Amino acid sequence: MRNLFLSLASLLTLLALAGPAYAANYEVGAGKTYANLEALRAASITWADGDSITVFNDDASLTAPFNFSDKAVSIQGQGLAIIPADPLNPGRFASGAGALSFTGTTLSSFTAASGPGGGHGGAIYAGGAFSGTITGSTFSANQASGGADASSGHGGAIYANGDFSGAITGSTFRANQAIGGTGASSGYGGAIYAGGSFTSDISNSRFINNLASGTGSSSGRGGAMYVGGDLRLTALAGSAWFRGNKAGAGGAEAPNALYMANELNNKTLSLAAGAGHTLYFYDPIESNAANNNLTININPNAGHIGKVLFDAYQSKIYGATTLHNGVLHLTNGAQYGAANSV
């Protein structure tokens, strides 16, 4: 009996150390466990990888950042809208380096101007890397603003201090803004800012009318996206569009889809589309002129046999380009490459 008792005690100890066996789902809405997202945030949940939140009603309750403490959590919006209680209060979703996934969610009218991350990440702030998936969702009219303290405003909808990875499928980023603060401050990444690398398949997604604007003598870069490291962008299962995005100094913004900083002057830009699909750039793309050792690959893999299209503008890319497969299509007088770059 003693041996049996010791075995059972050891088993119970192991189970306790292992923690809960199943991730939790938290239901938010009228008649649910939590009436709104603010009530769930205020409950100080100890989040675990695999936890999920299902929102059953439009929600305008958040008054402070919703922090998931580096855990992988998914938010399902049921096609509903989530907006902050006060558009000037940074009641956004925050994660150190966790994987946040959004399905059927609209995040609209969030503004980051103070609080964790300063003026970075209007709707989502990741202090480390961002990983996860964004499916059937909309990010609209979110803003990262440097505010009155002359700081920078980066990542109008999403800010990742490190790498960004994960698919963006059937989703729209529209009219998000990264605005520099008072004085001479930069605004980078109208929709998305990635301080490290950016890797994403953006099939059936659109980046429309996003803005990156600097103030004074400082620049705005990356109308839709700003990427510090490598950039790998694909549209393998459906076409994707960049249109109406702009970047530049305040009042003099010009069409621009994305900007690559090419930090350390050794990065790679890869653009690809799957069979029958097109990666459309109705706005030009740009890389750092001072770091002109960028490697550019168009449709680099065997399954990349679709089309990468640039329309109307000059894309100032500084580096050597290789077309491996498929088609690189220039329309309406578009020019690809800057001086000494092709």
Side-chain angles (χ1 to χ4, degrees), residues 94-231:
S95 173
L100 299 182
S101 296
F102 293 83
T103 302
T105 306
T106 294
L107 296 181
S108 180
S109 302
F110 284 85
T111 296
S114 60
H120 300 336
I124 300 172
Y125 174 85
F130 176 94
S131 61
T133 58
I134 297 171
T135 306
S137 295
T138 298
F139 291 73
S140 67
N142 300 291
Q143 185 181 95
S145 171
D149 59 357
S151 63
S152 57
H154 295 166
I158 300 174
Y159 174 91
N161 191 48
D163 298 338
F164 182 109
S165 62
I168 300 173
T169 306
S171 296
T172 298
F173 287 75
R174 183 193 301 272
N176 301 286
Q177 297 184 344
I179 307 294
T182 302
S185 303
S186 60
Y188 292 171
I192 299 174
Y193 175 99
S197 64
F198 183 96
T199 303
S200 183
D201 182 80
I202 59 169
S203 294
N204 296 311
S205 294
R206 300 178 296 172
F207 293 79
I208 301 172
N209 296 340
N210 300 288
L211 175 69
S213 180
T215 54
S217 60
S218 294
S219 62
R221 291 176 173 167
M225 295 180 185
Y226 176 99
V227 179
D230 297 319
L231 194 160

Side-chain angles (χ1 to χ4, degrees), residues 297-308:
N297 294 310
I298 307 295
N299 287 326
N301 297 338
H304 299 165
I305 57 175
K307 182 186 299 183
V308 177

